[in-house]
Amino acid sequence: MSAMPAKRKTLTSMDEIARLARVAKSTVSRAFQDSPLLNPATKARILAIARRHGYTVNANAQKLRTNRTNTIAVVMHLPHTSESAAAPFFFQLLNDVAQGLWVRHHDLLLCSPEADDAYYYESMISSKRADGIIFLGQGPGDKWLRDLARTRVPFVVWGAADDRASYCTVGSDNRKGGILTGQRFAQLGRRRVLFVGNRAHPEMEHRRRGLEAAMKAAGNAAEIVDVEIPDFTFETGYSAMTAYLARKRARPDAVFAGSDSVAMGVVMALREANLQVPGDVSVIGYNDLPSARYFLLPLTTIRQDTHQAGGLLVEKLFQMLDGAKPTSARVPTELVIRQT
Amino acid sequence: MSAMPAKRKTLTSMDEIARLARVAKSTVSRAFQDSPLLNPATKARILAIARRHGYTVNANAQKLRTNRTNTIAVVMHLPHTSESAAAPFFFQLLNDVAQGLWVRHHDLLLCSPEADDAYYYESMISSKRADGIIFLGQGPGDKWLRDLARTRVPFVVWGAADDRASYCTVGSDNRKGGILTGQRFAQLGRRRVLFVGNRAHPEMEHRRRGLEAAMKAAGNAAEIVDVEIPDFTFETGYSAMTAYLARKRARPDAVFAGSDSVAMGVVMALREANLQVPGDVSVIGYNDLPSARYFLLPLTTIRQDTHQAGGLLVEKLFQMLDGAKPTSARVPTELVIRQT
DNA sequence: GTGAAAGCGCTAACAA
DNA sequence: TTGTTAGCGCTTTCAC
């Protein structure tokens, strides 16, 4: 059934409903706010009339008046070309954040990062498009986030904790992820490990440091070489690894990749170069994507709990909107050993 | 740099800016609208002052006044549990739609389908939260979409074209996808094919009919059996196939799956039952996900151009907002033969 | 329990 | 080229 009869011209303002119900506009307003002051009978009558006429409260007038939007902006890097597979991990996180937002009856405004400049995000808030912002990922360098922290913009970030705790983050324990990887490599007797990532991203830098610490602690004088990549797709992993193998004589015996997608690309490149995985080279990814499990060679990887993460991001942001100053949080990190 | 100096209290209304610039409020308004009427010098002066004071136009007042939101709602089924892998295909589509929307300077409100009831969507529009709606997927049955088409709500749908053309869709040529699959199976001499999908979804029904037509045309008296599944995840494909094999004596020699994820689940189930893919059983998926290519067994599948689709969805919706009545469109469909 | 009145910040018609 | 004015539809005092 079409819920709103087409015949009746649908009414668009409280005044009109008020007139029909023979009450004041303010009474209609109270009915829609479910005010306890209001006589239940009056309320029911008003709501019935409104429904019959396809009336809904104008959200913009409401937002203007109350100075509250009930909207949260979620900023996520969307790949500009569709060639590069959209980062599945962030979509998973987006999904979990969205759940948390529905539950709290807030709208989700999906945004792409504009210039990495605090100004853009300040104006999102000052123009009253959203009450707060959730950033899915820090990107390389977080200076602009520190800048943003100096303003009145309420926001939380998925990513590595800021050393100076200038803003609130939720992230996996990246250092631990690095340590688990290092321990695994050490245990397998690996000595020439490649870190295929990007240390400009705070998260990656933490992983890298954990990796180094663990390998050092194990004491078998391993060497870590960095292969810098600009993004974390399969294609990038594949071509970075291929290029590396073409250029260098020394073969790595282990690779720690910045994401599962990268890890899969690395495995493909390795196989094409006739290196056995995991015989000659061990490979460990990050995120435990669903597809990591069903890859050609089920991928060994670091898992983080995105569902919990999504909930935490939302929760922290709401605490902030309530005037609190929430602390950063970590979600646990775990090594999933499969066949690489 | 923090773009807005913290010292100065940031101004929040045009009146205040007008006073500082010694002009009328309407002149400030014109400056922000980039009105050609305005003296460029005046405009520059106003904008400079505004910027200096961290002023931005209040979007809600603007929306209220102009009765335009510059926002499009995108409705997408987000899995309520994180167990089931979020449908990667729709995220890809979301990404492409988002691109199209940025380009046109529109905001994207991400929504989850509430009750499959036209009322909910009518109120999204009548409450002026969005100017139009893009539905990513029809779901099982599209009666409510036909209902919605009888209202004044501007919307377009990713999915199968409605027989009665009551609303505008963009979708892949599902029938052709079915035909390509049928031809391939026929050419391989397959006779007992399983359709693992859900005919309540119009898209699936079209594929299924194409499959049947092609197999009939090939003339080798094949039989098609339906395995109904409620969603299109790996897990569902896996368990549906496992259950089927446990129940039935007759082995299929071909499977046409509702999505690549389902196809991968099917392949796993088949292997566990000691059936060779593609030796004993051919499997064809749908969507050509990035991960389909790097699956355990690179997946044979039907590819559709989501990038083009995203652009078309946005374009059609804008035509509709301009008062036109755009026709439904199809994006091409192609068989990608790999190893299943 | 309900009504009257003021005003949120903006745009656009009209006037100058 | 700029200013004046009248609302857009709502919430929220304050009165009764």
Short mmCIF file of all heavy atoms in Angstrom, two decimals, chain A residues 16-39:
data_model
loop_
_atom_site.label_atom_id
_atom_site.label_comp_id
_atom_site.label_asym_id
_atom_site.label_seq_id
_atom_site.Cartn_x
_atom_site.Cartn_y
_atom_site.Cartn_z
N GLU A 16 -0.66 24.08 9.33
CA GLU A 16 -1.79 23.46 8.65
C GLU A 16 -2.37 22.32 9.46
O GLU A 16 -3.60 22.19 9.58
CB GLU A 16 -1.36 22.97 7.27
CG GLU A 16 -0.65 24.06 6.48
CD GLU A 16 -0.13 23.59 5.14
OE1 GLU A 16 -0.93 23.64 4.18
OE2 GLU A 16 1.03 23.15 5.04
N ILE A 17 -1.49 21.53 10.05
CA ILE A 17 -1.95 20.43 10.88
C ILE A 17 -2.67 20.99 12.11
O ILE A 17 -3.73 20.51 12.51
CB ILE A 17 -0.77 19.55 11.35
CG1 ILE A 17 -0.03 18.97 10.15
CG2 ILE A 17 -1.25 18.43 12.26
CD1 ILE A 17 -0.84 18.05 9.30
N ALA A 18 -2.09 22.05 12.67
CA ALA A 18 -2.67 22.67 13.85
C ALA A 18 -4.09 23.13 13.55
O ALA A 18 -5.01 22.92 14.34
CB ALA A 18 -1.81 23.84 14.30
N ARG A 19 -4.27 23.75 12.42
CA ARG A 19 -5.58 24.24 12.06
C ARG A 19 -6.59 23.09 11.98
O ARG A 19 -7.67 23.16 12.57
CB ARG A 19 -5.51 24.97 10.71
CG ARG A 19 -6.64 25.96 10.50
CD ARG A 19 -6.35 26.87 9.31
NE ARG A 19 -5.00 27.46 9.41
CZ ARG A 19 -4.09 27.44 8.43
NH1 ARG A 19 -4.37 26.84 7.29
NH2 ARG A 19 -2.92 27.98 8.61
N LEU A 20 -6.18 22.02 11.29
CA LEU A 20 -7.07 20.87 11.16
C LEU A 20 -7.42 20.28 12.52
O LEU A 20 -8.53 19.82 12.75
CB LEU A 20 -6.42 19.79 10.29
CG LEU A 20 -6.41 20.06 8.79
CD1 LEU A 20 -5.64 18.96 8.08
CD2 LEU A 20 -7.83 20.13 8.28
N ALA A 21 -6.44 20.25 13.40
CA ALA A 21 -6.66 19.62 14.70
C ALA A 21 -7.25 20.61 15.71
O ALA A 21 -7.56 20.24 16.84
CB ALA A 21 -5.35 19.04 15.23
N ARG A 22 -7.39 21.83 15.27
CA ARG A 22 -7.92 22.90 16.15
C ARG A 22 -7.09 23.04 17.43
O ARG A 22 -7.63 23.03 18.54
CB ARG A 22 -9.38 22.63 16.52
CG ARG A 22 -10.27 22.50 15.30
CD ARG A 22 -11.71 22.22 15.65
NE ARG A 22 -12.52 22.26 14.43
CZ ARG A 22 -12.77 23.38 13.74
NH1 ARG A 22 -12.31 24.53 14.14
NH2 ARG A 22 -13.50 23.33 12.64
N VAL A 23 -5.80 23.08 17.24
CA VAL A 23 -4.89 23.32 18.37
C VAL A 23 -3.84 24.33 17.88
O VAL A 23 -3.85 24.72 16.72
CB VAL A 23 -4.17 22.04 18.83
CG1 VAL A 23 -5.13 21.05 19.43
CG2 VAL A 23 -3.39 21.42 17.68
N ALA A 24 -2.95 24.71 18.79
CA ALA A 24 -1.89 25.63 18.39
C ALA A 24 -0.72 24.87 17.79
O ALA A 24 -0.54 23.68 18.06
CB ALA A 24 -1.42 26.44 19.58
N LYS A 25 0.05 25.56 17.02
CA LYS A 25 1.23 24.98 16.40
C LYS A 25 2.12 24.32 17.45
O LYS A 25 2.65 23.22 17.25
CB LYS A 25 2.00 26.10 15.71
CG LYS A 25 3.08 25.67 14.80
CD LYS A 25 3.59 26.81 13.92
CE LYS A 25 3.92 28.09 14.67
NZ LYS A 25 4.81 28.97 13.89
N SER A 26 2.27 24.98 18.58
CA SER A 26 3.17 24.45 19.62
C SER A 26 2.68 23.10 20.13
O SER A 26 3.47 22.25 20.51
CB SER A 26 3.30 25.44 20.76
OG SER A 26 2.02 25.91 21.15
N THR A 27 1.39 22.91 20.11
CA THR A 27 0.85 21.63 20.55
C THR A 27 1.21 20.52 19.57
O THR A 27 1.57 19.41 19.96
CB THR A 27 -0.68 21.73 20.71
OG1 THR A 27 -0.96 22.80 21.60
CG2 THR A 27 -1.25 20.45 21.26
N VAL A 28 1.15 20.84 18.31
CA VAL A 28 1.56 19.87 17.29
C VAL A 28 3.03 19.52 17.50
O VAL A 28 3.42 18.35 17.46
CB VAL A 28 1.33 20.42 15.88
CG1 VAL A 28 1.80 19.42 14.84
CG2 VAL A 28 -0.14 20.75 15.66
N SER A 29 3.81 20.54 17.73
CA SER A 29 5.23 20.31 17.96
C SER A 29 5.43 19.34 19.12
O SER A 29 6.20 18.39 19.02
CB SER A 29 5.91 21.65 18.26
OG SER A 29 7.27 21.45 18.58
N ARG A 30 4.69 19.59 20.19
CA ARG A 30 4.81 18.70 21.35
C ARG A 30 4.40 17.27 21.02
O ARG A 30 5.00 16.32 21.49
CB ARG A 30 3.96 19.23 22.50
CG ARG A 30 4.53 20.50 23.10
CD ARG A 30 3.76 20.95 24.31
NE ARG A 30 4.24 22.28 24.70
CZ ARG A 30 3.53 23.40 24.51
NH1 ARG A 30 2.32 23.37 23.98
NH2 ARG A 30 4.05 24.56 24.87
N ALA A 31 3.40 17.15 20.20
CA ALA A 31 2.95 15.81 19.83
C ALA A 31 4.08 15.05 19.14
O ALA A 31 4.33 13.88 19.42
CB ALA A 31 1.74 15.90 18.90
N PHE A 32 4.77 15.75 18.26
CA PHE A 32 5.85 15.07 17.53
C PHE A 32 7.08 14.83 18.38
O PHE A 32 7.88 13.96 18.08
CB PHE A 32 6.21 15.86 16.27
CG PHE A 32 5.34 15.52 15.12
CD1 PHE A 32 4.25 16.32 14.80
CD2 PHE A 32 5.56 14.37 14.38
CE1 PHE A 32 3.42 15.99 13.74
CE2 PHE A 32 4.74 14.03 13.33
CZ PHE A 32 3.66 14.84 13.01
N GLN A 33 7.20 15.58 19.44
CA GLN A 33 8.33 15.36 20.34
C GLN A 33 7.99 14.36 21.42
O GLN A 33 8.79 14.09 22.30
CB GLN A 33 8.75 16.66 20.99
CG GLN A 33 9.45 17.59 20.04
CD GLN A 33 9.64 18.94 20.68
OE1 GLN A 33 10.57 19.15 21.45
NE2 GLN A 33 8.75 19.86 20.38
N ASP A 34 6.77 13.86 21.37
CA ASP A 34 6.34 12.88 22.36
C ASP A 34 6.45 13.49 23.76
O ASP A 34 6.87 12.83 24.70
CB ASP A 34 7.22 11.63 22.25
CG ASP A 34 6.44 10.40 22.65
OD1 ASP A 34 5.23 10.54 22.89
OD2 ASP A 34 7.04 9.32 22.71
N SER A 35 6.08 14.74 23.85
CA SER A 35 6.18 15.45 25.13
C SER A 35 5.23 14.86 26.17
O SER A 35 4.07 14.58 25.89
CB SER A 35 5.85 16.92 24.91
OG SER A 35 5.50 17.54 26.13
N PRO A 36 5.71 14.68 27.39
CA PRO A 36 4.88 14.11 28.46
C PRO A 36 3.82 15.12 28.95
O PRO A 36 2.84 14.74 29.58
CB PRO A 36 5.89 13.82 29.57
CG PRO A 36 7.04 14.71 29.29
CD PRO A 36 7.06 14.98 27.83
N LEU A 37 4.05 16.38 28.64
CA LEU A 37 3.09 17.40 29.05
C LEU A 37 1.73 17.20 28.38
O LEU A 37 0.70 17.55 28.93
CB LEU A 37 3.61 18.78 28.64
CG LEU A 37 4.86 19.29 29.36
CD1 LEU A 37 5.50 20.40 28.57
CD2 LEU A 37 4.49 19.74 30.76
N LEU A 38 1.81 16.65 27.18
CA LEU A 38 0.63 16.64 26.33
C LEU A 38 -0.39 15.58 26.73
O LEU A 38 -0.03 14.47 27.10
CB LEU A 38 1.08 16.39 24.89
CG LEU A 38 0.17 16.89 23.78
CD1 LEU A 38 -0.08 18.36 23.92
CD2 LEU A 38 0.81 16.57 22.46
N ASN A 39 -1.63 15.92 26.64
CA ASN A 39 -2.72 14.97 26.82
C ASN A 39 -2.63 13.88 25.75
O ASN A 39 -2.62 14.19 24.56
CB ASN A 39 -4.04 15.73 26.69
CG ASN A 39 -5.24 14.82 26.90
OD1 ASN A 39 -5.18 13.63 26.57
ND2 ASN A 39 -6.31 15.37 27.45
#
